[in-house]
Amino acid sequence: MNIRPHIRNLIIEIICLLFVLLFVYAATSKLMDFQKFKIELGQSPLLSAFAEWFAVLVPTVEFIICTLLIIPKFRIIGLISAYGLMVMFTAYIFIILNYTSFVPCSCGGVLEKLDWKSHMIFNLVFVFLGFLGILLYNRSIKMNSSLMKNKSLVVILSTVTIGGLGIVSTLFMLSENIVHYHNRLIRRFPQHPILKTIDLDLKMNSYYIAGLDNSHIYLGNYSAQLSMMVLDSKLVQTKEKMIDIDRKDIPFRGVKILVQTPYFFVVDGTVPCIFRGQVYDWKARMIHQGGEYFGNALAIDSSKIAVSTTSKLNGDTVLGLIEMGETNKTILNPDILQKQVDGVFDTDGQLAYSSHMKNIIYLYTYRNEFTLANTELKINYRGNTLDTISKAQLQIAKDKKRHQRTFAAPPLYVNKSSAVYNNLLFVNSAIPGKYEDDRVWKSASIIDIYDLEKRSYVLSFYVYNINGKKMKSFAVQNDKLYVLLGDYIIQYHLDSQITSNYNNSVTNNLLAK
């Protein structure tokens, strides 16, 4: 470059000044709102697992580079460091745009108004400025006193470039492995994974989701135990029926309706009894009475219902399977639910079923564990949710006079509710994660998604409150999420960031329609 020395020096000064302004402003912005910066790193697809370290390291390095650029003796080292850092920032954005499962919100500070592509162009400009500054600085001093000959300059720049790309790529691979398979409460929140499409005011908050299929949502009512409201997929009420059962002389105390189309079941584990009918006429006859009392109940198919019941040997809760029809028997497996405190409260949980995997899923309420078992109650595997609470935090008191056990203090909830569709487990978590804003927890519920086949965490999303009311329960069907929240039922559309994780050609065909 045949540039006059004073012009060359002026260009170098301007480049160094631009880098100093950029890094000082960026580092200061990070430190002034350090918690926000740490949260942003925690949501990063590349740095989630290392957010604690990088929240301190990045602004520190930026200030150090500024110091090197200001001191003439170390300016060349500062320019090379600035170039290398911008290469790493650019590689970071390139990987986010092309190789991550979602694109997070853009960073704050000076680049807050830029989208990720504009951000990348901005970084590339500074990569070029760093490269130009190094070349000009190397020409501005005499060759015999230069620290770098032309060949060594090429080696240094190549090493810095390749090294920067390698470091970012390695961090990406390590972080992805940790977050998806060895996670300790670091959530990923992609942009707009769900979109609210329809809502319906039910006028009361006593409804629950009894079941759903591709065309209908079936709502039971705790206040009117044999009432059934049927909605279509656009949340338009198609009918409201009173279920007709062939035995009305039974002292019901805990009736619940389970819909597994084309069948429905009326169950009461306090009697115990089970009725079965078909949804075309809503008439049911008793098909099972007596045997074990049960709490949770889940329809597997037309002749099997999974239940949680009490062991006659020790009073602990065990998982069972009621087979109706000719055999009319109950299979129990005491090995599925694992006792930690009292064998009753500590094993409380929720039942779900994946027809795709032919597996029953039991999710514990007070600890970070779930168990998969097949329809013969043989354990497939035990998995964990994101949080670190592996033992139920419970204080149990015994009322000897009434022969009862109760909570001596409010329990610590870990998993509030859940749903399963295909190979994905959706969990409404009660535990805040690292790098999450407490204000969001007050205004929304968080659902975490797990891939039961890959045994990995997928992503998380928010379901925001309505009129100060949090989500009570939810269900998933294909690309639709149905949420009961206060007096409302709300339908959300699930984005491909979620549905692309389904592992079923039938489901993909349904989504294509």
Side-chain angles (χ1 to χ4, degrees):
M1 295 183 185
N2 296 319
I3 302 176
R4 293 181 180 180
H6 69 280
I7 296 178
R8 182 188 302 132
N9 292 336
L10 178 62
I11 294 174
I12 293 171
E13 291 290 338
I14 292 174
I15 290 173
C16 290
L17 178 61
L18 289 174
F19 271 114
V20 168
L21 290 174
L22 174 65
F23 289 151
V24 166
Y25 183 87
T28 303
S29 298
K30 294 178 179 75
L31 294 178
M32 288 181 66
D33 199 347
F34 184 72
Q35 189 61 30
K36 179 184 176 183
F37 175 55
K38 192 160 63 171
I39 289 172
E40 289 172 347
L41 287 181
Q43 301 304 320
S44 163
L46 272 72
L47 303 176
S48 299
F50 312 107
E52 291 281 356
W53 292 94
F54 277 90
V56 176
L57 182 62
V58 172
T60 301
V61 169
E62 288 174 335
F63 278 130
I64 291 173
I65 292 175
C66 290
T67 304
L68 294 173
L69 290 170
I70 292 171
I71 302 173
K73 182 178 179 181
F74 301 110
R75 182 162 289 174
I76 186 61
I77 299 175
L79 283 169
I80 293 172
S81 300
Y83 168 80
L85 189 61
M86 295 309 299
V87 166
M88 293 174 69
F89 286 165
T90 305
Y92 170 83
I93 296 174
F94 180 80
I95 291 175
I96 282 180
L97 290 174
N98 294 279
Y99 296 101
T100 60
S101 57
F102 72 95
V103 178
C105 296
S106 186
C107 66
V110 69
L111 303 178
E112 184 175 8
K113 303 303 180 183
L114 297 182
D115 59 27
W116 283 101
K117 290 184 179 179
S118 301
H119 191 166
M120 185 170 179
I121 293 171
F122 180 91
N123 283 5
L124 285 171
V125 170
F126 271 85
V127 168
F128 171 75
L129 289 177
F131 180 77
L132 178 62
I134 294 168
L135 291 182
L136 293 177
Y137 190 90
N138 196 51
R139 292 291 301 272
S140 68
I141 53 181
K142 296 179 181 179
M143 293 301 295
N144 58 4
S145 63
S146 175
L147 297 175
M148 298 182 295
K149 305 298 183 182
N150 287 335
K151 289 184 179 180
S152 62
L153 178 62
V154 171
V155 172
I156 290 173
L157 288 176
S158 299
T159 302
V160 170
T161 303
I162 296 172
L165 297 175
I167 289 172
V168 175
S169 300
T170 301
L171 287 173
F172 170 58
M173 291 185 288
L174 289 175
S175 184
E176 285 294 279
N177 182 269
I178 291 171
V179 167
H180 289 295
Y181 298 101
H182 308 286
N183 199 325
R184 281 298 175 262
L185 212 45
I186 302 173
R187 291 189 171 93
R188 295 280 181 80
F189 292 97
Q191 297 185 60
H192 314 303
I194 65 172
L195 176 65
K196 181 180 175 181
T197 52
I198 315 168
D199 63 49
L200 173 66
D201 189 352
L202 299 171
K203 309 299 182 183
M204 60 177 66
N205 62 4
S206 56
Y207 286 99
Y208 62 90
I209 299 173
L212 66 167
D213 56 29
N214 292 325
S215 307
H216 298 93
I217 304 96
Y218 302 91
L219 300 181
N221 193 329
Y222 291 115
S223 299
Q225 295 184 336
L226 292 178
S227 173
M228 175 58 59
M229 179 186 289
V230 183
L231 308 175
D232 67 13
S233 58
K234 295 183 179 180
L235 299 189
V236 176
Q237 182 174 336
T238 60
K239 64 182 72 171
E240 185 161 7
K241 302 287 292 185
M242 287 299 295
I243 295 173
D244 182 20
I245 57 177
D246 65 351
R247 291 281 303 276
K248 299 180 176 64
D249 58 333
I250 297 174
F252 296 111
R253 286 180 290 175
V255 171
K256 191 168 184 181
I257 302 168
L258 312 173
V259 178
Q260 183 69 271
T261 53
Y263 296 96
F264 73 92
F265 301 85
V266 179
V267 303
D268 189 337
T270 67
V271 175
C273 65
I274 299 174
F275 296 79
R276 183 180 64 194
Q278 294 192 349
V279 297
Y280 75 89
D281 63 2
W282 297 103
K283 295 180 180 180
R285 65 181 183 87
M286 181 181 287
I287 57 172
H288 178 84
Q289 185 177 22
E292 282 77 11
Y293 295 92
F294 57 86
N296 291 336
L298 175 72
I300 303 301
D301 55 35
S302 62
S303 61
K304 292 180 181 178
I305 290 185
V307 297
S308 58
T309 183
T310 303
S311 170
K312 295 178 180 178
L313 297 175
N314 54 21
D316 292 348
T317 302
V318 298
L319 201 63
L321 190 67
I322 299 175
E323 294 184 346
M324 299 158 289
E326 294 181 1
T327 57
N328 197 21
K329 63 180 181 179
T330 301
I331 303 171
L332 301 177
N333 185 347
D335 295 328
I336 294 178
L337 305 186
Q338 295 182 312
K339 178 178 178 178
Q340 290 185 333
V341 181
D342 68 333
V344 178
F345 291 109
D346 63 334
T347 54
D348 192 16
Q350 306 133 40
L351 280 166
Y353 179 69
S354 169
S355 57
H356 163 73
M357 298 177 66
K358 306 299 181 186
N359 265 215
I360 300 165
I361 298 94
Y362 191 87
L363 175 71
Y364 291 96
T365 299
Y366 304 116
R367 59 177 118 152
N368 66 342
E369 187 179 338
F370 58 86
T371 302
L372 271 71
N374 64 20
T375 53
E376 295 179 352
L377 294 189
K378 304 297 183 184
I379 297 175
N380 185 348
Y381 74 88
R382 302 185 191 277
N384 294 101
T385 52
L386 290 178
D387 62 88
T388 57
I389 302 174
S390 58
K391 185 173 182 179
Q393 307 295 305
L394 304 175
Q395 296 182 37
I396 309 299
K398 294 182 179 180
D399 187 338
K400 295 182 179 179
K401 184 176 179 180
R402 294 180 176 84
H403 303 287
Q404 293 179 342
R405 284 177 285 189
T406 186
F407 289 121
L412 176 62
Y413 283 86
V414 175
N415 303 305
K416 291 182 178 179
S417 58
S418 62
V420 171
Y421 185 75
N422 203 291
N423 57 304
L424 298 187
L425 171 63
F426 298 75
V427 178
N428 175 205
S429 176
I431 304 296
K434 292 182 179 179
Y435 322 121
E436 294 174 16
D437 194 332
D438 291 339
R439 292 171 296 182
V440 176
W441 272 86
K442 295 178 181 179
S443 61
S445 299
I446 288 183
I447 295 180
D448 301 321
I449 304 178
Y450 303 87
D451 189 324
L452 297 174
E453 291 184 333
K454 294 181 179 179
R455 306 186 187 187
S456 66
Y457 164 70
V458 180
L459 57 85
S460 302
F461 60 86
Y462 297 110
V463 176
Y464 286 94
N465 302 349
I466 293 181
N467 300 325
K469 302 291 185 181
K470 279 188 172 289
M471 177 179 70
K472 295 188 299 182
S473 62
F474 65 98
V476 179
Q477 182 72 21
N478 295 332
D479 60 346
K480 300 293 187 297
L481 168 71
Y482 297 96
V483 172
L484 286 177
L485 200 159
D487 294 345
Y488 287 84
I489 181 170
I490 306 169
Q491 181 193 88
Y492 295 88
H493 172 74
L494 300 180
D495 186 74
S496 60
Q497 296 173 94
I498 297 174
T499 59
S500 62
N501 292 282
Y502 290 153
N503 186 16
N504 189 309
S505 58
V506 175
T507 300
N508 292 336
N509 289 335
L510 288 170
L511 292 175
K513 295 178 181 179

